[in-house]
Amino acid sequence: TAYWTTLLQEFHDAAGYSGIWIDMNEPSNVCQGYCDSRVPSGNLNNPPFNPLVRDGWKLWNRTLPMDVPTGAGLFYNTHNLYAYYQSLVTNKALRTILGGDESPMVLSRSNSFGIGPIALHWLGDNQPTWEALKWSVPGVLSYQIFGVPFVGPDICGFVGDRATKELCTRWFELGAFYPFSRNHVADAQGKPHYPWSYGDETLQVFKKVFEMRYRLLPLFYTLFHEANTVVSPVWKPLFVEFPQDKETVDIVLQAMLVDALLSSPVVTKGAKSVHAYVPPTETWYDLWTLSPITSVGWVDIAAPLDEIPVFIHGGSIIPMQESARTATLSRLTPFHLLVAPDANGVASGHHVVLSESLHRTYVLKLNVLQSTFEKHSATTVGSISHSHLGSVQILGISSQPSQ
């Protein structure tokens, strides 16, 4: 750890950073075991049972020989833990370098169980295809169950041909709601995936959905705080949120952002609607229009190219702020509470106020029918700054308040 901390400190002194991306840490190796004429030998490198990695490959192909010693033991026994240990020492090093108030950001390509509290992950070198877009949803959902909540794919694909305008537009729409949202491409000059490189229509869609992401940053920060304190997922499959509803068991192409937002992305070329399930026992509101949703169960939801269906779950109170060019500037704006009552007129939520460090957790409950509002401050660290409440908006109310 001391050696790695020294290297990262030198890099920080030279360049300055808030996070580290550790790549190729399977570990990957451009050589076949050794980088000279030697061929790995012995029982560890050539065991009686060789797992099927690739036809004709050995355990040491494109990585290290199995008999190489590491700090945790022989590489034969520690290969699958390499990324975990590297993420762990990187996280510890950044806490020393950045100071205790700043939470380190460590992005790791490889991963294993237990990495969730110390690093985030992306889903690897994907291609700009509709299949890759489609399977990114169960990919992110699976990692929530694995205990790695901060995860997402390369939006619009990484290798291969350039993504089409339609594909990249749809991917931007979904990408705004991934826990980890990143556009990353192997050839940014030859095959750019910038939102403006597809014309004004895609740029306006990108602006719309990512402004919404920035408005939802208080919710995202709250969810990630919970993920690291009570080990809860950020994205949820519907069967986790609605375990009594048998219709949700096989649904893998929709996702709940915790218990508050249901996203139903278009993942099929040329589609102008999406066949999706909206649990009929619940109350729902459209995130974009804030209108109540009247069609529930299995429904065909209109989804022109500039829209992704996202519904607010009745019973939620969503903390929001204004969008801005950076998260720092957005955090300086007043808070806005979006209240979506359930069928009984009740909504509740919680909100972790963050500035340079964690400050306060609020637990909120509102009953529209009984005209009651409760606020509890659960924990406080430091002082509150730039966190005043600007407005409260209550959905589904048919008449103006009398006073």
Side-chain angles (χ1 to χ4, degrees), residues 21 23-24 26 28 109 121-128 132 152-154 157-160 171 182 184-186:
W21 172 6
D23 202 351
M24 312 295 283
E26 290 72 30
S28 183
R109 185 170 91 163
H121 175 62
W122 85 100
L123 297 180
D125 295 349
N126 59 349
Q127 295 187 329
D154 286 341
F158 177 69
V159 295
W171 217 326
R182 177 180 77 157
H184 180 50
V185 62

Side-chain angles (χ1 to χ4, degrees), residues 37-103:
S37 59
R38 290 178 295 167
V39 176
S41 59
N43 291 335
L44 295 180
N45 287 301
N46 301 282
F49 172 74
N50 190 68
L52 181 60
V53 180
R54 188 170 177 178
D55 290 344
W57 279 33
K58 301 293 185 180
L59 289 179
W60 40 265
N61 281 109
R62 297 291 178 89
T63 190
L64 304 180
M66 295 296 111
D67 53 0
V68 168
T70 74
L74 288 175
F75 189 63
Y76 180 87
N77 297 319
T78 62
H79 171 270
N80 289 349
L81 295 173
Y82 185 92
Y84 171 80
Y85 282 119
Q86 187 186 29
S87 298
L88 182 62
V89 297
T90 303
N91 187 290
K92 288 182 177 179
L94 292 192
R95 288 187 181 277
T96 299
I97 295 168
L98 302 176
D101 286 344
E102 189 165 349
S103 180

Side-chain angles (χ1 to χ4, degrees), residues 30 46 59-61 90 117 134 159 187 194 231 281 301 343:
V30 296
N46 301 282
L59 289 179
W60 40 265
N61 281 109
T90 303
K134 173 182 176 181
V159 295
D187 184 6
Y194 305 115
V231 196
T281 59
I301 306 171

Side-chain angles (χ1 to χ4, degrees), residues 188-378:
Q189 298 301 316
K191 303 172 184 177
H193 286 168
Y194 305 115
W196 55 85
S197 64
Y198 289 96
D200 187 65
E201 183 179 23
T202 298
L203 179 60
Q204 293 307 313
V205 172
F206 175 88
K207 185 173 184 290
K208 169 186 173 181
V209 294
F210 277 88
E211 282 186 346
M212 179 59 73
R213 181 181 181 89
Y214 270 68
R215 292 184 65 196
L216 291 170
L217 283 181
L219 177 63
F220 275 103
Y221 276 110
T222 297
L223 300 182
F224 284 121
H225 172 69
E226 285 193 337
N228 281 280
T229 53
V230 297
V231 196
S232 63
V234 174
W235 261 27
K236 287 184 181 179
L238 268 69
F239 67 80
V240 171
E241 185 62 26
F242 308 105
Q244 305 302 321
D245 190 337
K246 295 181 180 179
E247 291 291 329
T248 65
V249 171
D250 295 326
I251 296 177
V252 296
L253 298 181
Q254 295 174 260
M256 293 289 300
L257 183 59
V258 75
D259 58 355
L261 297 175
L262 170 63
S263 59
S264 304
V266 173
V267 294
T268 304
K269 181 180 180 180
K272 301 301 181 186
S273 65
V274 58
H275 189 62
Y277 185 69
V278 184
T281 59
E282 307 297 313
T283 302
W284 301 93
Y285 305 84
D286 190 294
L287 176 65
W288 307 106
T289 66
L290 304 182
S291 301
I293 299 299
T294 56
S295 297
V296 293
W298 283 105
V299 293
D300 291 317
I301 306 171
L305 186 59
D306 62 347
E307 291 185 15
I308 175 175
V310 182
F311 295 164
I312 306 168
H313 187 195
S316 304
I317 297 179
I318 300 176
M320 306 177 78
Q321 286 179 281
E322 294 302 315
S323 62
R325 290 184 179 275
T326 68
T328 300
L329 293 176
S330 178
R331 199 173 298 166
L332 300 178
T333 65
F335 284 102
H336 170 72
L337 296 182
L338 185 61
V339 181
D342 63 15
N344 297 316
V346 176
S348 60
H350 45 279
H351 174 208
V352 178
V353 178
L354 295 174
S355 186
E356 291 77 16
S357 59
L358 170 65
H359 289 305
R360 179 172 292 177
T361 301
Y362 290 103
V363 180
L364 311 167
K365 185 175 182 180
L366 181 144
N367 190 315
V368 175
L369 300 183
Q370 297 180 7
S371 300
T372 61
F373 180 74
E374 301 174 21
K375 181 188 75 172
H376 306 282
S377 179

Side-chain angles (χ1 to χ4, degrees), residues 159-170:
V159 295
D161 296 331
R162 185 185 184 219
T164 64
K165 172 185 174 180
E166 180 190 5
L167 173 60
C168 206
T169 302
R170 290 300 192 189

